[in-house]
Amino acid sequence: MILRPSNLPKLAICACFEPNPYAGPAAARGTKLDGVFRRGVLGDKSDDTAIEKDQLDAVDWAVNALRAIAGTEDIITAEDRCKIECLGLTGTADAW
């Protein structure tokens, strides 16, 4: 079984829960939004048409919020530099 944080509420309800090992449409959407976000932080808007306008508005808001929080600090979005591990789980932060 692959243990993901998103599975924890289901496991809390039923310890026998076994997740589907294949990512579904929601995961594919999240992956696409993540790519637009990471490239957007770098100023690359080449794939803005790859997502719906309301999704692009949400990504733009996230990029602007991140820039406001970071101030003059460098923002790192390269996935290989954003790997994290906590409580035996691994993942990728959106940015540092």
Coordinates of all heavy atoms in Angstrom, one line a residue:
M1 N 0.8 -1.2 0.0 CA 0.0 0.0 0.0 C 0.9 1.2 0.0 O 1.9 1.3 0.7 CB -0.9 0.0 1.2 CG -1.6 1.3 1.4 SD -2.9 1.5 2.6 CE -2.2 0.8 4.1
I2 N 0.5 2.2 -0.8 CA 1.2 3.5 -0.8 C 0.5 4.4 0.2 O -0.7 4.7 0.2 CB 1.1 4.1 -2.2 CG1 1.8 3.3 -3.2 CG2 1.7 5.5 -2.2 CD1 1.7 3.7 -4.6
L3 N 1.2 4.9 1.2 CA 0.7 5.7 2.3 C 0.9 7.2 1.9 O 2.0 7.6 1.8 CB 1.3 5.4 3.6 CG 0.8 6.2 4.8 CD1 -0.7 5.9 5.0 CD2 1.5 5.8 6.1
R4 N -0.2 7.9 1.6 CA -0.1 9.3 1.3 C -0.9 10.1 2.3 O -1.9 9.6 2.9 CB -0.7 9.6 -0.1 CG 0.0 8.9 -1.2 CD -0.7 9.4 -2.6 NE -0.1 8.8 -3.7 CZ -0.5 7.7 -4.4 NH1 -1.7 7.2 -4.0 NH2 0.1 7.2 -5.4
P5 N -0.5 11.3 2.6 CA -1.3 12.1 3.6 C -2.7 12.2 3.2 O -3.6 12.2 4.1 CB -0.6 13.5 3.6 CG 0.8 13.2 3.1 CD 0.7 12.0 2.2
S6 N -3.0 12.2 2.0 CA -4.5 12.3 1.6 C -5.3 11.1 1.9 O -6.5 11.1 1.9 CB -4.6 12.6 0.1 OG -3.9 11.6 -0.7
N7 N -4.6 10.0 2.2 CA -5.3 8.7 2.6 C -5.5 8.6 4.1 O -6.3 7.8 4.5 CB -4.4 7.5 2.2 CG -4.3 7.3 0.7 OD1 -5.2 7.7 -0.1 ND2 -3.3 6.7 0.2
L8 N -4.9 9.5 4.8 CA -5.0 9.3 6.3 C -6.5 9.4 6.8 O -6.8 8.7 7.7 CB -4.1 10.3 7.0 CG -2.6 10.1 6.7 CD1 -1.8 11.2 7.4 CD2 -2.2 8.7 7.1
P9 N -7.3 10.4 6.3 CA -8.7 10.4 6.9 C -9.4 9.1 6.6 O -10.2 8.6 7.4 CB -9.3 11.6 6.1 CG -8.2 12.4 5.8 CD -7.0 11.5 5.5
K10 N -9.2 8.5 5.4 CA -9.9 7.2 5.1 C -9.3 6.1 6.0 O -10.1 5.2 6.4 CB -9.7 6.9 3.6 CG -10.4 7.9 2.7 CD -10.0 7.7 1.3 CE -10.6 8.8 0.5 NZ -10.1 8.9 -0.9
L11 N -8.0 6.1 6.2 CA -7.5 5.1 7.1 C -7.9 5.2 8.5 O -8.1 4.3 9.3 CB -5.9 5.2 7.1 CG -5.3 4.6 5.8 CD1 -3.8 5.0 5.7 CD2 -5.5 3.1 5.7
A12 N -8.2 6.5 9.0 CA -8.7 6.7 10.3 C -10.1 6.1 10.5 O -10.5 5.6 11.5 CB -8.8 8.2 10.6
I13 N -10.9 6.1 9.4 CA -12.2 5.5 9.4 C -12.2 4.0 9.3 O -12.9 3.3 10.0 CB -13.1 6.1 8.3 CG1 -13.3 7.6 8.5 CG2 -14.4 5.3 8.1 CD1 -13.9 8.3 7.3
C14 N -11.3 3.5 8.5 CA -11.2 2.0 8.3 C -9.7 1.7 8.1 O -9.1 2.0 7.0 CB -12.0 1.6 7.1 SG -11.9 -0.2 6.7
A15 N -9.2 0.9 9.0 CA -7.8 0.5 8.9 C -7.5 -0.4 7.8 O -6.4 -0.6 7.4 CB -7.4 -0.1 10.2
C16 N -8.6 -1.0 7.2 CA -8.4 -1.9 6.1 C -8.5 -1.2 4.7 O -8.4 -1.9 3.7 CB -9.5 -3.0 6.1 SG -9.4 -4.0 7.6
F17 N -8.6 0.1 4.7 CA -8.7 0.9 3.4 C -7.5 0.6 2.6 O -6.3 0.7 3.1 CB -8.8 2.4 3.7 CG -8.7 3.2 2.5 CD1 -9.7 3.3 1.6 CD2 -7.6 3.9 2.3 CE1 -9.6 4.1 0.4 CE2 -7.4 4.7 1.1 CZ -8.5 4.8 0.2
E18 N -7.7 0.3 1.3 CA -6.6 0.2 0.4 C -6.8 1.1 -0.8 O -7.8 1.0 -1.5 CB -6.5 -1.3 -0.1 CG -6.0 -2.2 1.0 CD -5.6 -3.6 0.4 OE1 -5.2 -3.6 -0.7 OE2 -5.8 -4.5 1.2
P19 N -5.9 2.1 -0.9 CA -6.1 3.1 -2.0 C -5.8 2.5 -3.4 O -5.1 1.6 -3.5 CB -5.1 4.2 -1.7 CG -4.0 3.5 -0.9 CD -4.7 2.4 -0.2
N20 N -6.4 3.2 -4.4 CA -6.1 2.9 -5.7 C -4.7 3.3 -6.1 O -4.4 4.4 -5.8 CB -7.1 3.6 -6.7 CG -7.0 3.2 -8.1 OD1 -6.0 2.7 -8.5 ND2 -8.0 3.5 -8.9
P21 N -3.9 2.4 -6.6 CA -2.5 2.8 -6.8 C -2.3 3.7 -8.0 O -1.2 4.2 -8.3 CB -1.8 1.4 -7.1 CG -2.9 0.5 -7.6 CD -4.1 1.0 -6.9
Y22 N -3.4 3.9 -8.8 CA -3.3 4.8 -10.0 C -3.9 6.1 -9.7 O -5.0 6.2 -9.1 CB -4.0 4.1 -11.2 CG -3.4 2.7 -11.5 CD1 -4.1 1.6 -11.1 CD2 -2.2 2.6 -12.1 CE1 -3.5 0.3 -11.3 CE2 -1.6 1.4 -12.4 CZ -2.3 0.2 -12.0 OH -1.8 -1.0 -12.2
A23 N -3.2 7.2 -10.1 CA -3.7 8.5 -9.9 C -4.9 8.7 -10.8 O -5.0 8.3 -11.9 CB -2.6 9.5 -10.3
G24 N -5.9 9.4 -10.3 CA -7.1 9.7 -11.0 C -7.1 11.1 -11.6 O -6.1 11.8 -11.6
P25 N -8.3 11.5 -12.1 CA -8.4 12.9 -12.8 C -8.0 14.0 -11.8 O -7.4 15.0 -12.3 CB -9.8 13.0 -13.2 CG -10.3 11.6 -13.2 CD -9.5 10.8 -12.2
A26 N -8.3 13.9 -10.6 CA -8.0 15.0 -9.6 C -6.5 15.1 -9.5 O -5.9 16.2 -9.4 CB -8.6 14.7 -8.3
A27 N -5.8 14.0 -9.4 CA -4.3 14.0 -9.3 C -3.7 14.6 -10.6 O -2.7 15.4 -10.5 CB -3.8 12.6 -9.0
A28 N -4.2 14.2 -11.7 CA -3.7 14.8 -13.0 C -3.9 16.3 -13.1 O -3.0 17.0 -13.5 CB -4.4 14.1 -14.2
R29 N -5.1 16.8 -12.6 CA -5.4 18.2 -12.6 C -4.4 18.9 -11.6 O -3.8 19.9 -11.9 CB -6.8 18.4 -12.1 CG -7.1 19.9 -11.9 CD -8.6 20.0 -11.4 NE -8.8 21.4 -10.9 CZ -8.6 21.8 -9.7 NH1 -8.1 21.0 -8.8 NH2 -8.9 23.0 -9.3
G30 N -4.1 18.3 -10.5 CA -3.2 18.9 -9.5 C -1.8 18.9 -10.1 O -1.1 19.9 -9.9
T31 N -1.4 17.9 -10.8 CA 0.0 17.9 -11.4 C 0.1 19.0 -12.4 O 1.1 19.7 -12.5 CB 0.2 16.5 -12.0 OG1 0.2 15.5 -11.0 CG2 1.6 16.5 -12.7
K32 N -1.0 19.2 -13.2 CA -1.0 20.3 -14.2 C -0.9 21.6 -13.6 O -0.1 22.5 -14.0 CB -2.2 20.2 -15.1 CG -2.2 21.2 -16.3 CD -3.5 21.1 -17.1 CE -3.5 19.9 -17.9 NZ -4.6 19.9 -18.9
L33 N -1.7 21.9 -12.5 CA -1.7 23.1 -11.8 C -0.3 23.4 -11.1 O 0.2 24.5 -11.1 CB -2.8 23.2 -10.8 CG -4.2 23.2 -11.3 CD1 -5.2 23.1 -10.2 CD2 -4.5 24.5 -12.1
D34 N 0.3 22.3 -10.6 CA 1.6 22.4 -10.0 C 2.6 22.9 -11.0 O 3.4 23.8 -10.7 CB 2.0 21.1 -9.4 CG 3.4 21.2 -8.7 OD1 3.5 21.8 -7.7 OD2 4.3 20.6 -9.3
G35 N 2.6 22.4 -12.2 CA 3.5 22.8 -13.2 C 3.4 24.2 -13.6 O 4.3 25.0 -13.8
V36 N 2.1 24.7 -13.8 CA 1.8 26.1 -14.1 C 2.3 27.0 -13.0 O 2.9 28.0 -13.2 CB 0.3 26.3 -14.4 CG1 0.0 27.7 -14.6 CG2 -0.1 25.4 -15.7
F37 N 2.1 26.6 -11.7 CA 2.5 27.3 -10.6 C 4.0 27.5 -10.6 O 4.6 28.6 -10.5 CB 2.0 26.7 -9.3 CG 2.7 27.3 -8.1 CD1 2.3 28.5 -7.5 CD2 3.7 26.6 -7.4 CE1 2.9 29.0 -6.4 CE2 4.3 27.1 -6.3 CZ 3.9 28.3 -5.8
R38 N 4.7 26.4 -10.7 CA 6.2 26.4 -10.6 C 6.8 27.2 -11.7 O 7.7 28.0 -11.5 CB 6.8 25.0 -10.7 CG 6.5 24.2 -9.4 CD 7.1 22.7 -9.5 NE 6.6 21.9 -8.5 CZ 7.1 21.9 -7.2 NH1 8.1 22.7 -6.9 NH2 6.6 21.2 -6.3
R39 N 6.3 27.1 -12.9 CA 6.8 27.9 -14.0 C 6.4 29.4 -13.9 O 7.1 30.3 -14.2 CB 6.3 27.3 -15.4 CG 7.0 26.0 -15.7 CD 6.6 25.5 -17.1 NE 5.2 25.0 -17.1 CZ 4.9 23.8 -16.6 NH1 5.8 22.9 -16.1 NH2 3.6 23.4 -16.7
G40 N 5.2 29.6 -13.3 CA 4.7 31.0 -13.1 C 5.6 31.7 -12.1 O 5.8 32.9 -12.3
V41 N 6.1 31.0 -11.1 CA 7.0 31.7 -10.1 C 8.2 32.2 -10.8 O 8.8 33.2 -10.5 CB 7.3 30.7 -9.0 CG1 8.5 31.3 -8.1 CG2 6.1 30.4 -8.1
L42 N 8.7 31.5 -11.8 CA 9.8 31.8 -12.6 C 9.5 32.9 -13.7 O 10.4 33.3 -14.4 CB 10.5 30.6 -13.2 CG 11.0 29.5 -12.3 CD1 11.4 28.3 -13.0 CD2 12.0 30.1 -11.4
G43 N 8.3 33.2 -13.8 CA 7.9 34.2 -14.8 C 7.5 33.6 -16.2 O 7.2 34.4 -17.1
D44 N 7.5 32.3 -16.3 CA 7.1 31.6 -17.5 C 5.6 31.5 -17.6 O 5.0 30.7 -16.8 CB 7.8 30.3 -17.5 CG 7.5 29.5 -18.8 OD1 6.7 29.9 -19.6 OD2 8.2 28.4 -19.0
K45 N 5.0 32.2 -18.5 CA 3.6 32.1 -18.7 C 3.2 31.3 -20.0 O 2.1 31.4 -20.5 CB 3.0 33.5 -18.8 CG 3.3 34.3 -17.5 CD 2.0 34.9 -17.1 CE 2.0 35.4 -15.7 NZ 0.9 34.9 -15.0
S46 N 4.1 30.6 -20.5 CA 3.9 29.9 -21.8 C 2.8 28.9 -21.8 O 2.2 28.6 -22.9 CB 5.2 29.2 -22.3 OG 5.5 28.2 -21.3
D47 N 2.4 28.3 -20.7 CA 1.3 27.3 -20.7 C 0.1 27.8 -19.9 O -0.7 27.0 -19.5 CB 1.8 26.0 -20.1 CG 2.3 26.1 -18.6 OD1 2.4 27.2 -18.1 OD2 2.7 25.1 -18.0
D48 N -0.1 29.1 -19.8 CA -1.3 29.6 -19.2 C -2.6 29.2 -19.8 O -3.6 29.1 -19.2 CB -1.3 31.2 -19.1 CG -0.3 31.7 -18.1 OD1 0.3 30.9 -17.4 OD2 -0.3 32.9 -17.9
T49 N -2.6 28.9 -21.1 CA -3.8 28.4 -21.8 C -4.0 26.9 -21.5 O -5.1 26.4 -22.0 CB -3.7 28.7 -23.3 OG1 -2.5 28.0 -23.8 CG2 -3.6 30.2 -23.6
A50 N -3.2 26.3 -20.8 CA -3.3 24.8 -20.6 C -4.4 24.6 -19.5 O -4.9 23.4 -19.4 CB -2.0 24.2 -20.2
I51 N -4.8 25.6 -18.8 CA -5.8 25.4 -17.7 C -6.9 26.5 -17.9 O -6.8 27.5 -18.6 CB -5.1 25.5 -16.3 CG1 -4.4 26.9 -16.1 CG2 -4.2 24.4 -16.1 CD1 -3.9 27.1 -14.7
E52 N -8.0 26.2 -17.2 CA -9.2 27.1 -17.3 C -8.9 28.4 -16.6 O -8.0 28.5 -15.7 CB -10.4 26.5 -16.6 CG -10.8 25.1 -17.2 CD -11.4 25.3 -18.6 OE1 -12.1 26.3 -18.8 OE2 -11.1 24.4 -19.4
K53 N -9.6 29.5 -17.0 CA -9.3 30.8 -16.4 C -9.4 30.9 -14.9 O -8.6 31.5 -14.2 CB -10.2 31.9 -17.0 CG -9.9 33.3 -16.5 CD -10.7 34.3 -17.1 CE -10.5 35.7 -16.5 NZ -9.7 35.9 -15.3
D54 N -10.4 30.2 -14.3 CA -10.6 30.3 -12.9 C -9.4 29.6 -12.2 O -8.9 30.0 -11.1 CB -11.9 29.7 -12.4 CG -12.1 28.2 -12.8 OD1 -11.6 27.8 -13.8 OD2 -12.8 27.5 -12.0
Q55 N -8.9 28.5 -12.8 CA -7.7 27.8 -12.3 C -6.5 28.7 -12.4 O -5.7 28.8 -11.5 CB -7.5 26.5 -13.0 CG -8.6 25.5 -12.7 CD -8.4 24.3 -13.6 OE1 -7.8 24.3 -14.6 NE2 -9.1 23.2 -13.2
L56 N -6.4 29.4 -13.5 CA -5.2 30.3 -13.7 C -5.3 31.5 -12.7 O -4.3 31.8 -12.2 CB -5.2 30.8 -15.2 CG -4.1 31.8 -15.5 CD1 -2.7 31.1 -15.3 CD2 -4.2 32.2 -17.0
D57 N -6.5 32.0 -12.5 CA -6.6 33.0 -11.5 C -6.1 32.5 -10.1 O -5.5 33.3 -9.4 CB -8.1 33.5 -11.4 CG -8.5 34.3 -12.6 OD1 -7.7 34.7 -13.4 OD2 -9.8 34.4 -12.8
A58 N -6.5 31.3 -9.8 CA -6.0 30.7 -8.5 C -4.5 30.6 -8.4 O -3.9 30.9 -7.4 CB -6.7 29.4 -8.2
V59 N -3.9 30.1 -9.5 CA -2.5 29.9 -9.6 C -1.8 31.3 -9.5 O -0.8 31.5 -8.8 CB -2.1 29.2 -10.9 CG1 -0.6 29.2 -11.1 CG2 -2.5 27.7 -10.8
D60 N -2.3 32.3 -10.2 CA -1.8 33.6 -10.2 C -1.8 34.2 -8.7 O -0.9 34.8 -8.3 CB -2.5 34.6 -11.1 CG -2.1 34.3 -12.6 OD1 -1.1 33.7 -12.8 OD2 -2.8 34.8 -13.5
W61 N -2.9 33.9 -8.1 CA -3.1 34.4 -6.7 C -2.0 33.7 -5.8 O -1.3 34.4 -5.0 CB -4.4 34.1 -6.1 CG -4.6 34.5 -4.7 CD1 -5.0 35.7 -4.2 CD2 -4.2 33.6 -3.5 NE1 -4.9 35.7 -2.8 CE2 -4.4 34.4 -2.4 CE3 -3.8 32.4 -3.4 CZ2 -4.2 33.9 -1.1 CZ3 -3.5 31.9 -2.1 CH2 -3.8 32.7 -1.0
A62 N -1.8 32.4 -6.0 CA -0.8 31.7 -5.2 C 0.6 32.2 -5.5 O 1.4 32.4 -4.5 CB -0.9 30.2 -5.5
V63 N 0.9 32.5 -6.7 CA 2.3 33.0 -7.1 C 2.5 34.4 -6.5 O 3.5 34.7 -5.9 CB 2.4 33.1 -8.6 CG1 3.7 33.9 -9.0 CG2 2.5 31.7 -9.2
N64 N 1.4 35.2 -6.6 CA 1.6 36.6 -6.0 C 1.7 36.5 -4.4 O 2.4 37.3 -3.8 CB 0.4 37.5 -6.4 CG 0.4 37.8 -7.9 OD1 1.5 37.9 -8.5 ND2 -0.7 38.0 -8.5
A65 N 0.9 35.6 -3.8 CA 1.0 35.5 -2.4 C 2.4 35.0 -1.9 O 3.0 35.5 -1.0 CB -0.1 34.5 -1.9
L66 N 2.9 34.1 -2.7 CA 4.3 33.6 -2.4 C 5.3 34.7 -2.5 O 6.2 34.8 -1.7 CB 4.6 32.4 -3.3 CG 6.0 31.8 -3.2 CD1 6.3 31.2 -1.8 CD2 6.2 30.8 -4.3
R67 N 5.2 35.4 -3.6 CA 6.1 36.6 -3.8 C 6.0 37.6 -2.6 O 7.0 38.1 -2.2 CB 5.9 37.2 -5.1 CG 6.4 36.4 -6.3 CD 6.2 37.1 -7.6 NE 6.8 36.3 -8.7 CZ 6.2 36.2 -9.9 NH1 5.1 36.9 -10.2 NH2 6.7 35.4 -10.8
A68 N 4.8 37.8 -2.2 CA 4.6 38.8 -1.1 C 5.2 38.3 0.2 O 5.9 39.0 0.9 CB 3.1 39.1 -0.9
I69 N 5.1 37.0 0.4 CA 5.6 36.4 1.7 C 7.2 36.3 1.6 O 7.8 36.6 2.6 CB 5.1 34.9 1.9 CG1 3.6 35.0 2.2 CG2 5.8 34.2 3.0 CD1 2.8 33.7 2.1
A70 N 7.7 36.0 0.4 CA 9.1 35.8 0.3 C 9.9 37.2 0.3 O 11.0 37.2 0.7 CB 9.5 35.1 -1.1
G71 N 9.2 38.2 -0.1 CA 9.8 39.6 -0.1 C 11.0 39.5 -1.1 O 10.9 39.2 -2.2
T72 N 12.2 39.9 -0.5 CA 13.4 39.9 -1.4 C 14.2 38.6 -1.4 O 15.2 38.5 -2.0 CB 14.3 41.0 -0.9 OG1 14.7 40.8 0.5 CG2 13.6 42.4 -1.0
E73 N 13.7 37.6 -0.7 CA 14.4 36.3 -0.6 C 14.2 35.5 -1.9 O 13.2 35.7 -2.6 CB 13.8 35.4 0.5 CG 14.1 36.0 1.9 CD 15.6 36.1 2.2 OE1 16.3 35.2 1.9 OE2 16.0 37.1 2.8
D74 N 15.1 34.7 -2.3 CA 15.0 33.9 -3.5 C 13.9 32.8 -3.2 O 13.7 32.4 -2.1 CB 16.3 33.1 -3.8 CG 17.4 34.0 -4.3 OD1 17.1 35.1 -4.8 OD2 18.6 33.6 -4.1
I75 N 13.2 32.5 -4.3 CA 12.2 31.5 -4.2 C 12.6 30.3 -5.1 O 13.0 30.4 -6.2 CB 10.8 32.0 -4.8 CG1 10.3 33.2 -4.0 CG2 9.8 30.9 -4.8 CD1 9.1 33.9 -4.6
I76 N 12.6 29.1 -4.4 CA 13.1 27.9 -5.1 C 11.9 27.0 -5.4 O 11.1 26.7 -4.5 CB 14.1 27.1 -4.2 CG1 15.3 28.0 -4.0 CG2 14.5 25.8 -4.9 CD1 16.2 27.5 -2.9
T77 N 11.7 26.7 -6.7 CA 10.6 25.8 -7.0 C 11.0 24.5 -7.8 O 10.2 23.7 -8.1 CB 9.6 26.6 -7.9 OG1 10.2 27.0 -9.1 CG2 8.9 27.7 -7.2
A78 N 12.3 24.4 -8.0 CA 12.8 23.2 -8.7 C 12.4 22.0 -7.9 O 12.8 21.9 -6.7 CB 14.3 23.3 -8.9
E79 N 11.7 21.0 -8.5 CA 11.3 19.9 -7.7 C 12.4 19.1 -7.0 O 12.2 18.6 -5.9 CB 10.4 18.9 -8.6 CG 9.1 19.5 -9.0 CD 8.2 18.5 -9.6 OE1 8.0 17.5 -9.0 OE2 7.6 18.9 -10.7
D80 N 13.5 19.0 -7.7 CA 14.6 18.2 -7.1 C 15.2 18.9 -5.9 O 15.8 18.3 -5.0 CB 15.7 18.0 -8.1 CG 16.4 19.2 -8.7 OD1 15.7 20.3 -8.7 OD2 17.5 19.2 -9.0
R81 N 14.9 20.2 -5.7 CA 15.4 20.9 -4.5 C 14.3 21.1 -3.5 O 14.6 21.6 -2.4 CB 15.9 22.3 -4.9 CG 17.2 22.1 -5.8 CD 17.9 23.4 -6.1 NE 18.3 24.1 -4.9 CZ 18.6 25.4 -4.8 NH1 18.5 26.1 -5.9 NH2 19.0 25.9 -3.7
C82 N 13.1 20.7 -3.8 CA 11.9 20.9 -2.9 C 11.5 19.5 -2.3 O 10.4 19.5 -1.7 CB 10.8 21.5 -3.6 SG 11.1 23.3 -4.0
K83 N 12.3 18.5 -2.4 CA 11.9 17.2 -1.8 C 11.9 17.3 -0.3 O 12.7 17.9 0.3 CB 12.9 16.1 -2.2 CG 13.0 15.8 -3.7 CD 11.8 15.1 -4.2 CE 11.9 14.8 -5.7 NZ 10.6 14.5 -6.3
I84 N 10.9 16.7 0.3 CA 10.8 16.7 1.8 C 10.4 15.3 2.3 O 9.9 14.4 1.5 CB 9.7 17.7 2.3 CG1 8.3 17.4 1.7 CG2 10.1 19.1 2.0 CD1 7.2 18.2 2.3
E85 N 10.8 15.0 3.5 CA 10.4 13.8 4.2 C 10.0 14.1 5.6 O 10.7 14.9 6.3 CB 11.6 12.8 4.2 CG 11.2 11.5 4.8 CD 12.3 10.4 4.7 OE1 13.1 10.5 3.8 OE2 12.2 9.5 5.5
C86 N 8.9 13.6 6.0 CA 8.4 13.9 7.4 C 7.6 12.7 7.8 O 6.7 12.2 7.1 CB 7.5 15.1 7.4 SG 6.9 15.6 9.0
L87 N 7.8 12.2 9.0 CA 7.1 11.1 9.6 C 7.1 9.8 8.7 O 6.1 9.1 8.6 CB 5.7 11.5 9.9 CG 5.5 12.7 10.9 CD1 4.1 13.1 11.0 CD2 6.1 12.3 12.3
G88 N 8.1 9.6 8.0 CA 8.2 8.5 7.1 C 7.6 8.7 5.7 O 7.5 7.7 4.9
L89 N 7.0 9.8 5.5 CA 6.4 10.1 4.2 C 7.3 11.0 3.4 O 7.9 11.9 4.0 CB 5.0 10.8 4.4 CG 4.0 10.0 5.3 CD1 2.8 10.9 5.5 CD2 3.6 8.7 4.6
T90 N 7.2 10.9 2.1 CA 8.0 11.7 1.3 C 7.1 12.5 0.4 O 6.0 12.1 0.1 CB 9.0 10.9 0.4 OG1 8.3 10.0 -0.4 CG2 10.0 10.2 1.2
G91 N 7.6 13.7 -0.1 CA 6.8 14.5 -1.0 C 7.6 15.6 -1.6 O 8.8 15.6 -1.4
T92 N 6.9 16.6 -2.1 CA 7.6 17.7 -2.7 C 6.9 19.0 -2.3 O 5.7 19.1 -2.5 CB 7.6 17.6 -4.3 OG1 8.1 16.3 -4.7 CG2 8.4 18.7 -4.9
A93 N 7.6 19.9 -1.7 CA 7.0 21.2 -1.3 C 6.8 22.0 -2.6 O 7.5 21.8 -3.6 CB 8.0 21.9 -0.4
D94 N 5.8 22.9 -2.6 CA 5.6 23.8 -3.7 C 6.8 24.7 -3.9 O 7.1 25.0 -5.1 CB 4.3 24.6 -3.5 CG 3.1 23.7 -3.5 OD1 3.1 22.6 -4.2 OD2 2.1 24.0 -2.9
A95 N 7.3 25.2 -2.9 CA 8.4 26.2 -3.0 C 9.1 26.3 -1.6 O 8.6 26.0 -0.6 CB 7.9 27.5 -3.4
W96 N 10.3 26.8 -1.7 CA 11.1 27.2 -0.5 C 11.4 28.7 -0.5 O 11.7 29.2 -1.6 CB 12.4 26.5 -0.4 CG 12.3 25.0 -0.1 CD1 12.7 24.0 -1.0 CD2 11.9 24.3 1.0 NE1 12.5 22.8 -0.4 CE2 12.0 22.9 0.8 CE3 11.4 24.7 2.3 CZ2 11.7 22.0 1.8 CZ3 11.1 23.8 3.2 CH2 11.2 22.5 3.0

